[in-house]
């Protein structure tokens, strides 16, 4: 909740909320599923006039989107939070465990899971923006392979720079 005050202080338009950590739990350690807690976030957003731009599944920075067995409830929990909070964008980093540059063999399962997730988030008119370690050309190919208008790119220019890419 404190992020809203800081965002207001720096005159930001909005913030990204996070679904919380994963650890060994079957889904995110999120307060957004609790109607009372969720309302606190919505009230604070309105009070300080700072929107909620997206909901992040940042637990996947360190956990495997490709190998995690409980992907269904995790994605469903995020989409429910999106719907309940009237947020249209979720952020999904594929992180180190599902890095398609280092682990290209994971591509088929990631594509399959993202096709499914796209269908689910499409039902609420939302999108899931994925971050990969692929360059822009390869990420475009991945999005074409997924073939869902509900799965978009969240291109991290820092990844490109870290990998020697010419941002310009």
């Amino acid at each position: 909740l404190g992020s809203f005050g800081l965002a207001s202080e720096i005159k930001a338009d909005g913030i990204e909320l996070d679904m919380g950590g994963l650890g060994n739990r079957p889904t995110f350690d999120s307060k957004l599923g609790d109607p009372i807690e969720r309302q606190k976030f919505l009230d604070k957003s309105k009070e300080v006039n700072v929107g909620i731009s997206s909901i992040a599944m940042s637990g996947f920075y360190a956990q495997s989107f490709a190998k995690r067995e409980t992907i269904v409830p995790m994605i469903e929990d995020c989409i429910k939070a999106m719907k309940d909070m009237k947020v249209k964008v979720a952020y999904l980093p594929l992180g180190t465990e599902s890095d398609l540059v280092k682990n290209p063999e994971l591509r088929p399962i990631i594509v399959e899971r993202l096709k499914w997730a796209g269908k689910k988030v499409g039902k609420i008119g939302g999108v899931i923006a994925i971050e990969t370690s692929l360059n822009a050309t390869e990420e475009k190919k991945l999005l074409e392979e997924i073939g869902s208008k509900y799965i978009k790119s969240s291109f991290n220019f820092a990844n490109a720079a870290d990998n020697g890419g010419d941002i310009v």
Side-chain angles (χ1 to χ4, degrees), residues 110-126:
I110 289 172
V111 167
E112 177 186 318
R113 287 178 171 202
L114 288 172
K115 284 181 179 186
W116 169 82
K119 288 177 186 172
K120 296 297 262 184
V121 77
K123 289 180 181 178
I124 67 160

Side-chain angles (χ1 to χ4, degrees), residues 43-109:
D43 291 346
K44 192 67 168 176
S45 171
K46 189 174 182 179
E47 174 192 328
V48 298
N49 197 30
V50 172
I52 301 168
S53 61
S54 55
I55 297 180
M57 295 180 269
S58 63
F60 283 113
Y61 272 118
Q63 299 265 343
S64 179
F65 179 75
K67 295 179 181 178
R68 186 85 185 206
E69 291 181 18
T70 58
I71 201 75
V72 170
M74 297 169 74
I75 296 295
E76 288 176 344
D77 286 352
C78 182
I79 292 171
K80 182 177 183 333
M82 292 170 67
K83 182 179 177 188
D84 291 343
M85 300 188 82
K86 296 177 177 52
V87 173
K88 295 295 182 183
V89 179
Y91 167 68
L92 171 62
L94 292 184
T96 57
E97 295 298 314
S98 293
D99 183 327
L100 289 171
V101 172
K102 294 178 183 168
N103 304 295
E105 72 281 1
L106 297 177
R107 190 178 183 113
I109 187 72

